[in-house]
């Protein structure tokens, strides 16, 4: 799925402009962000969309040389489930 990059977020809207998926983060200093929220509409649940959103943030922060602290319960669990994928960007 393709996501739109907004200010401190990636998101997807449906054809009517309704938000159907989103991940947000808050900058904390020059080299850290706090991943604080993921949302996936019920119509998309079970398709791995939330995982894709977390991965998108990780890719972006790698490219920017930043680390991530996850406070969002889903993102925290994702970091714990897949250390091989996220240990390099995990604060």
């Amino acid at each position: 799925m393709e996501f739109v990059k907004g200010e401190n977020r990636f998101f997807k809207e449906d054809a009517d402009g309704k938000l159907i998926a989103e991940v947000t983060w808050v900058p904390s200093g020059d080299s850290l962000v706090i991943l604080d929220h993921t949302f996936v509409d019920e119509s998309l649940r079970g398709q791995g969309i939330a995982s894709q959103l977390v991965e998108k943030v990780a890719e972006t922060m790698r490219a920017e040389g930043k680390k991530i602290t996850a406070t969002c319960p889903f993102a925290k669990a994702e970091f714990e489930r897949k250390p091989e994928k996220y240990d390099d960007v995990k604060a």
Side-chain angles (χ1 to χ4, degrees), residues 6 12 18 28 34-35 39 43 50 55 63-64 78 81 88:
K12 178 78 174 174
K18 177 186 171 201
S28 180
I34 299 165
L35 197 162
F39 162 76
S43 66
E55 176 60 26
E64 294 179 11
E78 191 78 349
R81 278 193 299 265
D88 66 319

Side-chain angles (χ1 to χ4, degrees), residues 33-71:
V33 299
I34 299 165
L35 197 162
D36 63 345
H37 172 72
T38 57
F39 162 76
V40 176
D41 188 78
E42 284 186 29
S43 66
L44 297 174
R45 299 236 171 112
Q47 299 179 38
I49 305 299
S51 293
Q52 291 176 41
L53 287 164
V54 170
E55 176 60 26
K56 196 79 173 144
V57 174
E59 289 171 5
T60 301
M61 295 311 134
R62 275 187 199 104
E64 294 179 11
K66 296 180 180 179
K67 297 287 187 180
I68 302 168
T69 295
T71 60

Side-chain angles (χ1 to χ4, degrees), residues 5 8-10 23-27 33-36 57 61:
K5 185 173 188 317
N8 300 326
R9 73 183 192 140
F10 287 103
V23 63
T24 63
W25 64 90
V26 178
V33 299
I34 299 165
L35 197 162
D36 63 345
V57 174
M61 295 311 134

